[in-house]
Short mmCIF file of all heavy atoms in Angstrom, two decimals:
data_model
loop_
_atom_site.label_atom_id
_atom_site.label_comp_id
_atom_site.label_asym_id
_atom_site.label_seq_id
_atom_site.Cartn_x
_atom_site.Cartn_y
_atom_site.Cartn_z
N GLU A 1 -25.19 128.53 2.92
CA GLU A 1 -25.80 129.76 3.40
C GLU A 1 -24.85 130.95 3.40
O GLU A 1 -25.30 132.10 3.48
CB GLU A 1 -26.34 129.54 4.83
CG GLU A 1 -27.44 128.50 4.90
CD GLU A 1 -27.90 128.27 6.33
OE1 GLU A 1 -27.35 128.93 7.24
OE2 GLU A 1 -28.80 127.44 6.53
N GLY A 2 -23.55 130.69 3.33
CA GLY A 2 -22.59 131.78 3.36
C GLY A 2 -21.26 131.33 3.95
O GLY A 2 -20.91 130.14 3.92
N VAL A 3 -20.51 132.30 4.49
CA VAL A 3 -19.16 131.99 5.00
C VAL A 3 -19.00 132.52 6.42
O VAL A 3 -19.72 133.43 6.85
CB VAL A 3 -18.07 132.59 4.10
CG1 VAL A 3 -18.11 132.00 2.70
CG2 VAL A 3 -18.18 134.12 4.03
N GLU A 4 -18.06 131.93 7.12
CA GLU A 4 -17.67 132.40 8.45
C GLU A 4 -16.17 132.69 8.44
O GLU A 4 -15.38 131.88 7.95
CB GLU A 4 -17.99 131.34 9.52
CG GLU A 4 -19.47 131.05 9.65
CD GLU A 4 -19.75 129.94 10.67
OE1 GLU A 4 -18.79 129.49 11.34
OE2 GLU A 4 -20.93 129.53 10.78
N ILE A 5 -15.78 133.83 9.00
CA ILE A 5 -14.37 134.25 9.07
C ILE A 5 -13.82 133.92 10.45
O ILE A 5 -14.44 134.26 11.47
CB ILE A 5 -14.25 135.76 8.80
CG1 ILE A 5 -14.63 136.10 7.36
CG2 ILE A 5 -12.85 136.27 9.13
CD1 ILE A 5 -14.74 137.60 7.08
N TYR A 6 -12.66 133.30 10.49
CA TYR A 6 -11.95 133.04 11.74
C TYR A 6 -10.54 133.61 11.63
O TYR A 6 -9.72 133.12 10.84
CB TYR A 6 -11.90 131.53 12.04
CG TYR A 6 -13.26 130.95 12.35
CD1 TYR A 6 -14.10 130.52 11.32
CD2 TYR A 6 -13.72 130.87 13.66
CE1 TYR A 6 -15.37 130.03 11.59
CE2 TYR A 6 -14.99 130.37 13.94
CZ TYR A 6 -15.80 129.95 12.90
OH TYR A 6 -17.06 129.46 13.17
N GLU A 7 -10.29 134.67 12.37
CA GLU A 7 -8.98 135.33 12.38
C GLU A 7 -8.17 134.77 13.55
O GLU A 7 -8.59 134.85 14.71
CB GLU A 7 -9.15 136.84 12.51
CG GLU A 7 -7.86 137.62 12.71
CD GLU A 7 -6.93 137.56 11.51
OE1 GLU A 7 -7.36 137.13 10.41
OE2 GLU A 7 -5.75 137.92 11.68
N VAL A 8 -7.00 134.21 13.27
CA VAL A 8 -6.19 133.52 14.27
C VAL A 8 -5.10 134.45 14.80
O VAL A 8 -4.37 135.08 14.02
CB VAL A 8 -5.55 132.25 13.68
CG1 VAL A 8 -4.71 131.54 14.74
CG2 VAL A 8 -6.63 131.32 13.13
N LYS A 9 -4.99 134.54 16.13
CA LYS A 9 -3.97 135.36 16.77
C LYS A 9 -3.18 134.52 17.77
O LYS A 9 -3.74 133.63 18.41
CB LYS A 9 -4.61 136.55 17.49
CG LYS A 9 -5.34 137.52 16.56
CD LYS A 9 -4.41 138.15 15.54
CE LYS A 9 -5.14 139.12 14.63
NZ LYS A 9 -4.24 139.66 13.56
N SER A 10 -1.91 134.84 17.92
CA SER A 10 -1.07 134.11 18.87
C SER A 10 -1.12 134.75 20.25
O SER A 10 -0.40 134.33 21.16
CB SER A 10 0.38 134.07 18.37
OG SER A 10 0.89 135.37 18.15
N SER A 11 -1.98 135.75 20.43
CA SER A 11 -2.13 136.43 21.71
C SER A 11 -3.01 135.60 22.65
O SER A 11 -3.69 134.66 22.25
CB SER A 11 -2.76 137.80 21.49
OG SER A 11 -3.04 138.44 22.71
N THR A 12 -3.01 136.00 23.94
CA THR A 12 -3.85 135.34 24.94
C THR A 12 -5.08 136.17 25.29
O THR A 12 -5.83 135.83 26.19
CB THR A 12 -3.05 135.05 26.22
OG1 THR A 12 -2.55 136.28 26.75
CG2 THR A 12 -1.88 134.12 25.93
N LYS A 13 -5.27 137.29 24.58
CA LYS A 13 -6.47 138.11 24.78
C LYS A 13 -6.77 138.84 23.47
O LYS A 13 -5.94 138.87 22.55
CB LYS A 13 -6.27 139.12 25.91
CG LYS A 13 -5.14 140.10 25.71
CD LYS A 13 -4.96 140.98 26.94
CE LYS A 13 -3.81 141.95 26.79
NZ LYS A 13 -4.04 142.97 25.74
N ILE A 14 -7.96 139.42 23.40
CA ILE A 14 -8.37 140.13 22.18
C ILE A 14 -8.11 141.62 22.35
O ILE A 14 -8.67 142.27 23.23
CB ILE A 14 -9.86 139.87 21.89
CG1 ILE A 14 -10.08 138.39 21.59
CG2 ILE A 14 -10.32 140.72 20.71
CD1 ILE A 14 -11.51 138.03 21.28
N ASP A 15 -7.25 142.16 21.49
CA ASP A 15 -6.98 143.59 21.46
C ASP A 15 -7.86 144.26 20.41
O ASP A 15 -8.33 143.61 19.46
CB ASP A 15 -5.51 143.85 21.14
CG ASP A 15 -4.59 143.46 22.28
OD1 ASP A 15 -5.02 143.56 23.44
OD2 ASP A 15 -3.45 143.05 22.01
N GLU A 16 -8.05 145.57 20.56
CA GLU A 16 -8.90 146.31 19.63
C GLU A 16 -8.40 146.21 18.19
O GLU A 16 -9.20 146.18 17.25
CB GLU A 16 -8.98 147.78 20.06
CG GLU A 16 -9.95 148.61 19.24
CD GLU A 16 -11.40 148.13 19.35
OE1 GLU A 16 -11.76 147.54 20.39
OE2 GLU A 16 -12.16 148.36 18.39
N VAL A 17 -7.08 146.14 18.02
CA VAL A 17 -6.53 146.06 16.67
C VAL A 17 -6.96 144.77 15.97
O VAL A 17 -7.07 144.73 14.74
CB VAL A 17 -4.99 146.19 16.69
CG1 VAL A 17 -4.33 144.99 17.37
CG2 VAL A 17 -4.43 146.37 15.28
N TYR A 18 -7.24 143.72 16.73
CA TYR A 18 -7.73 142.48 16.13
C TYR A 18 -9.14 142.67 15.56
O TYR A 18 -9.49 142.06 14.54
CB TYR A 18 -7.72 141.33 17.13
CG TYR A 18 -6.38 141.04 17.77
CD1 TYR A 18 -6.29 140.32 18.95
CD2 TYR A 18 -5.19 141.48 17.19
CE1 TYR A 18 -5.07 140.05 19.54
CE2 TYR A 18 -3.97 141.23 17.77
CZ TYR A 18 -3.91 140.50 18.96
OH TYR A 18 -2.70 140.25 19.54
N ILE A 19 -9.93 143.49 16.23
CA ILE A 19 -11.26 143.80 15.72
C ILE A 19 -11.15 144.60 14.42
O ILE A 19 -11.89 144.37 13.47
CB ILE A 19 -12.09 144.58 16.76
CG1 ILE A 19 -12.13 143.84 18.10
CG2 ILE A 19 -13.50 144.83 16.24
CD1 ILE A 19 -12.76 142.47 18.05
N ASP A 20 -10.19 145.53 14.37
CA ASP A 20 -9.94 146.28 13.13
C ASP A 20 -9.56 145.33 12.00
O ASP A 20 -10.05 145.46 10.86
CB ASP A 20 -8.80 147.29 13.35
CG ASP A 20 -9.21 148.47 14.20
OD1 ASP A 20 -10.42 148.78 14.24
OD2 ASP A 20 -8.33 149.08 14.84
N ASP A 21 -8.69 144.38 12.30
CA ASP A 21 -8.23 143.40 11.33
C ASP A 21 -9.42 142.60 10.78
O ASP A 21 -9.62 142.48 9.56
CB ASP A 21 -7.22 142.47 12.03
CG ASP A 21 -6.49 141.55 11.08
OD1 ASP A 21 -7.07 141.16 10.06
OD2 ASP A 21 -5.34 141.19 11.37
N ALA A 22 -10.23 142.05 11.68
CA ALA A 22 -11.38 141.26 11.27
C ALA A 22 -12.42 142.10 10.53
O ALA A 22 -13.06 141.63 9.57
CB ALA A 22 -12.01 140.59 12.50
N SER A 23 -12.58 143.35 10.96
CA SER A 23 -13.56 144.24 10.32
C SER A 23 -13.16 144.54 8.88
O SER A 23 -14.01 144.65 7.99
CB SER A 23 -13.68 145.54 11.12
OG SER A 23 -14.10 145.28 12.44
N TYR A 24 -11.87 144.71 8.66
CA TYR A 24 -11.37 144.95 7.31
C TYR A 24 -11.69 143.74 6.41
O TYR A 24 -12.12 143.91 5.26
CB TYR A 24 -9.87 145.21 7.36
CG TYR A 24 -9.20 145.32 6.02
CD1 TYR A 24 -9.20 146.52 5.31
CD2 TYR A 24 -8.56 144.23 5.45
CE1 TYR A 24 -8.59 146.64 4.07
CE2 TYR A 24 -7.94 144.32 4.21
CZ TYR A 24 -7.96 145.52 3.52
OH TYR A 24 -7.35 145.62 2.30
N GLN A 25 -11.51 142.54 6.94
CA GLN A 25 -11.81 141.34 6.16
C GLN A 25 -13.31 141.26 5.83
O GLN A 25 -13.70 140.92 4.70
CB GLN A 25 -11.38 140.09 6.93
CG GLN A 25 -9.87 140.00 7.11
CD GLN A 25 -9.48 138.84 8.00
OE1 GLN A 25 -9.74 137.69 7.70
NE2 GLN A 25 -8.83 139.15 9.13
N TYR A 26 -14.14 141.57 6.81
CA TYR A 26 -15.59 141.58 6.58
C TYR A 26 -15.93 142.59 5.48
O TYR A 26 -16.76 142.31 4.60
CB TYR A 26 -16.32 141.93 7.88
CG TYR A 26 -17.82 141.95 7.77
CD1 TYR A 26 -18.57 140.83 8.15
CD2 TYR A 26 -18.51 143.07 7.30
CE1 TYR A 26 -19.96 140.85 8.06
CE2 TYR A 26 -19.88 143.09 7.20
CZ TYR A 26 -20.61 141.98 7.58
OH TYR A 26 -21.98 141.99 7.48
N PHE A 27 -15.31 143.76 5.52
CA PHE A 27 -15.55 144.80 4.52
C PHE A 27 -15.26 144.28 3.12
O PHE A 27 -16.07 144.44 2.19
CB PHE A 27 -14.66 146.01 4.82
CG PHE A 27 -14.73 147.10 3.79
CD1 PHE A 27 -15.72 148.06 3.82
CD2 PHE A 27 -13.78 147.16 2.77
CE1 PHE A 27 -15.78 149.06 2.85
CE2 PHE A 27 -13.83 148.15 1.80
CZ PHE A 27 -14.83 149.10 1.85
N VAL A 28 -14.12 143.62 2.95
CA VAL A 28 -13.73 143.12 1.63
C VAL A 28 -14.71 142.05 1.15
O VAL A 28 -15.23 142.11 0.04
CB VAL A 28 -12.28 142.58 1.66
CG1 VAL A 28 -11.93 141.88 0.34
CG2 VAL A 28 -11.29 143.71 1.92
N LEU A 29 -14.96 141.05 2.00
CA LEU A 29 -15.79 139.93 1.58
C LEU A 29 -17.24 140.33 1.35
O LEU A 29 -17.87 139.91 0.37
CB LEU A 29 -15.72 138.79 2.61
CG LEU A 29 -14.59 137.77 2.40
CD1 LEU A 29 -13.22 138.41 2.54
CD2 LEU A 29 -14.74 136.59 3.35
N SER A 30 -17.78 141.15 2.24
CA SER A 30 -19.19 141.53 2.10
C SER A 30 -19.40 142.41 0.88
O SER A 30 -20.43 142.32 0.20
CB SER A 30 -19.69 142.22 3.37
OG SER A 30 -18.95 143.41 3.62
N ASN A 31 -18.44 143.27 0.54
CA ASN A 31 -18.55 144.11 -0.64
C ASN A 31 -18.38 143.33 -1.93
O ASN A 31 -18.76 143.81 -3.01
CB ASN A 31 -17.56 145.27 -0.58
CG ASN A 31 -18.08 146.44 0.23
OD1 ASN A 31 -18.96 147.18 -0.23
ND2 ASN A 31 -17.58 146.59 1.44
N LEU A 32 -17.84 142.12 -1.83
CA LEU A 32 -17.77 141.23 -3.00
C LEU A 32 -19.04 140.41 -3.16
O LEU A 32 -19.15 139.60 -4.08
CB LEU A 32 -16.55 140.30 -2.86
CG LEU A 32 -15.18 140.97 -3.03
CD1 LEU A 32 -14.07 140.02 -2.61
CD2 LEU A 32 -14.98 141.42 -4.47
N GLY A 33 -20.01 140.62 -2.25
CA GLY A 33 -21.29 139.94 -2.38
C GLY A 33 -21.41 138.66 -1.59
O GLY A 33 -22.43 137.97 -1.69
N LEU A 34 -20.41 138.32 -0.80
CA LEU A 34 -20.48 137.12 0.02
C LEU A 34 -21.31 137.37 1.27
O LEU A 34 -21.24 138.46 1.86
CB LEU A 34 -19.08 136.66 0.42
CG LEU A 34 -18.21 136.11 -0.70
CD1 LEU A 34 -16.76 136.02 -0.24
CD2 LEU A 34 -18.70 134.76 -1.16
N ASN A 35 -22.09 136.40 1.68
CA ASN A 35 -22.87 136.50 2.90
C ASN A 35 -21.99 136.05 4.06
O ASN A 35 -21.78 134.85 4.27
CB ASN A 35 -24.12 135.62 2.81
CG ASN A 35 -24.92 135.63 4.12
OD1 ASN A 35 -24.93 136.63 4.84
ND2 ASN A 35 -25.55 134.52 4.43
N VAL A 36 -21.46 137.02 4.80
CA VAL A 36 -20.59 136.70 5.95
C VAL A 36 -21.49 136.52 7.17
O VAL A 36 -21.99 137.49 7.74
CB VAL A 36 -19.54 137.80 6.19
CG1 VAL A 36 -18.63 137.39 7.36
CG2 VAL A 36 -18.72 138.05 4.93
N LYS A 37 -21.68 135.26 7.56
CA LYS A 37 -22.62 134.95 8.65
C LYS A 37 -22.04 135.24 10.02
O LYS A 37 -22.76 135.63 10.94
CB LYS A 37 -22.99 133.47 8.59
CG LYS A 37 -23.66 133.04 7.30
CD LYS A 37 -24.11 131.59 7.41
CE LYS A 37 -22.92 130.65 7.62
NZ LYS A 37 -23.35 129.25 7.80
N LYS A 38 -20.74 135.06 10.15
CA LYS A 38 -20.13 135.20 11.48
C LYS A 38 -18.65 135.54 11.32
O LYS A 38 -17.99 135.10 10.38
CB LYS A 38 -20.29 133.90 12.28
CG LYS A 38 -19.76 134.00 13.71
CD LYS A 38 -20.26 132.84 14.58
CE LYS A 38 -19.53 131.56 14.28
NZ LYS A 38 -19.83 130.50 15.29
N VAL A 39 -18.14 136.33 12.26
CA VAL A 39 -16.71 136.65 12.34
C VAL A 39 -16.25 136.34 13.75
O VAL A 39 -16.86 136.79 14.73
CB VAL A 39 -16.44 138.13 12.00
CG1 VAL A 39 -14.93 138.39 12.02
CG2 VAL A 39 -17.03 138.50 10.65
N SER A 40 -15.17 135.59 13.87
CA SER A 40 -14.66 135.21 15.19
C SER A 40 -13.15 135.40 15.26
O SER A 40 -12.45 135.31 14.24
CB SER A 40 -14.98 133.73 15.49
OG SER A 40 -16.36 133.51 15.53
N ILE A 41 -12.67 135.67 16.47
CA ILE A 41 -11.24 135.71 16.75
C ILE A 41 -10.86 134.41 17.45
O ILE A 41 -11.50 134.00 18.43
CB ILE A 41 -10.87 136.90 17.65
CG1 ILE A 41 -11.37 138.22 17.06
CG2 ILE A 41 -9.36 136.93 17.89
CD1 ILE A 41 -10.69 138.65 15.80
N VAL A 42 -9.83 133.76 16.94
CA VAL A 42 -9.28 132.55 17.55
C VAL A 42 -7.98 132.95 18.25
O VAL A 42 -7.09 133.53 17.61
CB VAL A 42 -8.99 131.48 16.49
CG1 VAL A 42 -8.41 130.22 17.13
CG2 VAL A 42 -10.26 131.15 15.70
N TYR A 43 -7.87 132.68 19.54
CA TYR A 43 -6.67 133.09 20.27
C TYR A 43 -6.30 132.03 21.30
O TYR A 43 -7.01 131.03 21.48
CB TYR A 43 -6.86 134.46 20.91
CG TYR A 43 -7.99 134.57 21.92
CD1 TYR A 43 -7.73 134.65 23.28
CD2 TYR A 43 -9.32 134.61 21.51
CE1 TYR A 43 -8.76 134.77 24.20
CE2 TYR A 43 -10.36 134.73 22.42
CZ TYR A 43 -10.07 134.80 23.77
OH TYR A 43 -11.09 134.90 24.68
N ILE A 44 -5.17 132.24 21.98
CA ILE A 44 -4.59 131.23 22.85
C ILE A 44 -5.22 131.25 24.24
O ILE A 44 -5.39 132.32 24.84
CB ILE A 44 -3.07 131.45 22.99
CG1 ILE A 44 -2.37 131.29 21.63
CG2 ILE A 44 -2.47 130.50 24.00
CD1 ILE A 44 -2.32 129.89 21.11
#
């Protein structure tokens, strides 16, 4: 059905810059025609 992105961080909370990071990845993959079903941050 598509792909799911998991961005891994060594932090103990989610900062706004992590959303920027994941959003950039979504931009690249979705513009290549991939169906990005979900984007998640993995943290400590």
Side-chain angles (χ1 to χ4, degrees):
E1 297 177 0
V3 297
E4 297 177 6
I5 293 171
Y6 292 86
E7 173 65 14
V8 180
K9 297 299 181 184
S10 57
S11 174
T12 59
K13 60 184 178 66
I14 296 180
D15 290 329
E16 186 62 28
V17 67
Y18 303 161
I19 306 299
D20 288 335
D21 190 328
S23 300
Y24 174 83
Q25 294 174 61
Y26 181 97
F27 174 85
V28 172
L29 271 64
S30 61
N31 276 286
L32 289 169
L34 291 166
N35 176 32
V36 182
K37 300 186 298 177
K38 184 165 75 169
V39 183
S40 297
I41 306 292
V42 180
Y43 61 106
I44 297 289

